[in-house]
Amino acid sequence: VSDMPNFMLLTKTHPFLHSVLRQMIDKGRMDDARAIAAKYRFVPHFSHSLELLLHEALEEDPSYKLHKQSKKSGGEAVDPKKSLLFPVVDFLNKFKQFPEVVVHCARKTDPAKWDYLFLIVGNPERLFEQCLKAGNVLMCANYLRILQETQDLIVARRAAIKVLDLTLQNDNLELLADLMRFLEPLDAPEQNGKQNGKKAKEDSFNIGISTTADDEEFYKQELLLAKYARKLLIAKKLHMLVRFARIV
């Protein structure tokens, strides 16, 4: 063993782009911010930088407190265009990653702030539909919890059926398991068990949909599952069929 000291150099990356963009946006230099973003759009962590930009702007926006107070007192609602968050959202809205950036930010934010966030960024159902149109099934699935909290159970269930259809088209049985837990009625007998109660805390998808959701959507769900089982049987994919049967 050498008596000389040994050192090992380790490199770490630290995001900085969001801070630069934030300074420019706050100073009204929107064109300069877009020019810099255009140069860095091919960087692997570009989407993450946009997410940090939105998250920090949301956390530091003083208009949220005014919005919260007006909701409690029933006073005049906050004008979204006058919030400090609005120019940041206006900047981010020009990028194709916008729906993805919003959902990632929301999932890392206190749900109590969701109504204010979507007051500024727009209807979450519209953002969900954009992800659906792009075929981004994972992002669509991430929006389900948000739709359930900010819209209503019927909207969330109908969205979940659309995600189910896309999930089956992609043979994504792992996501299918999460979706089936999400679509499981809250008052199902097995939902009251301690074991399932524990799973509900561990799994963000294990929310449960009320049985008051319309029967038409339940019929669509059963039809999609039946068609997929038939597809696997015709293709003689017996291993996948067994996995599928265990999930549903």
Side-chain angles (χ1 to χ4, degrees):
V1 179
S2 174
D3 293 331
M4 297 295 293
N6 296 309
F7 299 94
M8 180 180 295
L9 296 178
L10 299 176
T11 59
K12 293 179 66 177
T13 59
H14 183 76
F16 67 89
L17 180 61
H18 66 287
S19 299
V20 176
L21 295 175
R22 177 75 185 281
Q23 288 291 324
M24 291 186 171
I25 293 171
D26 288 347
K27 293 178 181 179
R29 297 169 57 187
M30 200 69 75
D31 291 338
D32 291 336
R34 292 193 181 104
I36 289 180
K39 292 181 180 180
Y40 285 91
R41 69 184 186 275
F42 298 112
V43 173
H45 300 295
F46 179 68
S47 293
H48 181 60
S49 293
L50 298 183
E51 178 190 331
L52 289 173
L53 173 62
L54 179 61
H55 187 268
E56 288 188 4
L58 174 62
E59 293 298 318
E60 297 172 9
D61 191 351
S63 296
Y64 168 68
K65 291 183 178 179
L66 297 176
H67 170 75
K68 190 176 179 180
Q69 291 172 1
S70 66
K71 283 191 68 177
K72 285 184 177 180
S73 62
E76 186 178 354
V78 174
D79 184 356
K81 293 185 178 181
K82 292 182 179 179
S83 70
L84 294 180
L85 184 61
F86 181 79
V88 173
V89 172
D90 185 52
F91 170 80
L92 293 172
N93 201 21
K94 304 298 188 296
F95 297 94
K96 65 179 182 179
Q97 300 98 327
F98 182 65
E100 177 182 343
V101 168
V102 170
V103 74
H104 282 161
C105 176
R107 286 169 61 85
K108 295 175 183 177
T109 302
D110 185 352
K113 292 186 177 181
W114 285 357
D115 64 331
Y116 177 72
L117 172 63
F118 288 100
L119 176 68
I120 310 298
V121 303
N123 192 314
E125 193 174 359
R126 177 180 60 84
L127 297 173
F128 166 81
E129 291 294 341
Q130 290 180 22
C131 293
L132 191 68
K133 186 177 180 181
N136 195 335
V137 64
L138 292 178
M139 287 302 105
C140 288
N142 284 335
Y143 267 102
L144 294 180
R145 168 80 188 283
I146 294 171
L147 289 174
Q148 188 182 40
E149 294 293 328
T150 61
Q151 305 298 302
D152 57 49
L153 294 176
I154 299 299
V155 170
R157 182 174 183 83
R158 289 175 180 170
I161 296 300
K162 293 178 181 179
V163 179
L164 176 64
D165 187 13
L166 190 58
T167 299
L168 293 176
Q169 290 179 34
N170 294 334
D171 295 320
N172 191 336
L173 296 186
E174 291 183 6
L175 181 56
L176 176 63
D178 291 329
L179 283 172
M180 294 309 296
R181 286 194 290 271
F182 183 88
L183 288 164
E184 185 178 0
L186 283 172
D187 54 356
E190 62 271 22
Q191 191 73 10
N192 296 325
K194 292 182 179 179
Q195 184 176 359
N196 283 345
K198 183 179 179 181
K199 285 184 179 180
K201 295 179 181 179
E202 296 174 349
D203 196 321
S204 61
F205 281 106
N206 198 349
I207 308 301
I209 294 291
S210 170
T211 51
T212 56
D214 54 37
D215 293 336
E216 182 182 351
E217 297 304 320
F218 181 76
Y219 172 75
K220 289 180 182 178
Q221 173 186 331
E222 294 301 301
L223 185 61
L224 286 172
L225 295 174
K227 284 184 177 180
Y228 185 71
R230 186 168 180 266
K231 170 188 169 183
L232 294 179
L233 191 59
I234 292 174
K236 298 181 180 180
K237 297 181 178 180
L238 301 183
H239 179 67
M240 285 188 65
L241 183 60
V242 170
R243 285 184 60 198
F244 172 74
R246 288 174 178 172
I247 292 171
V248 301

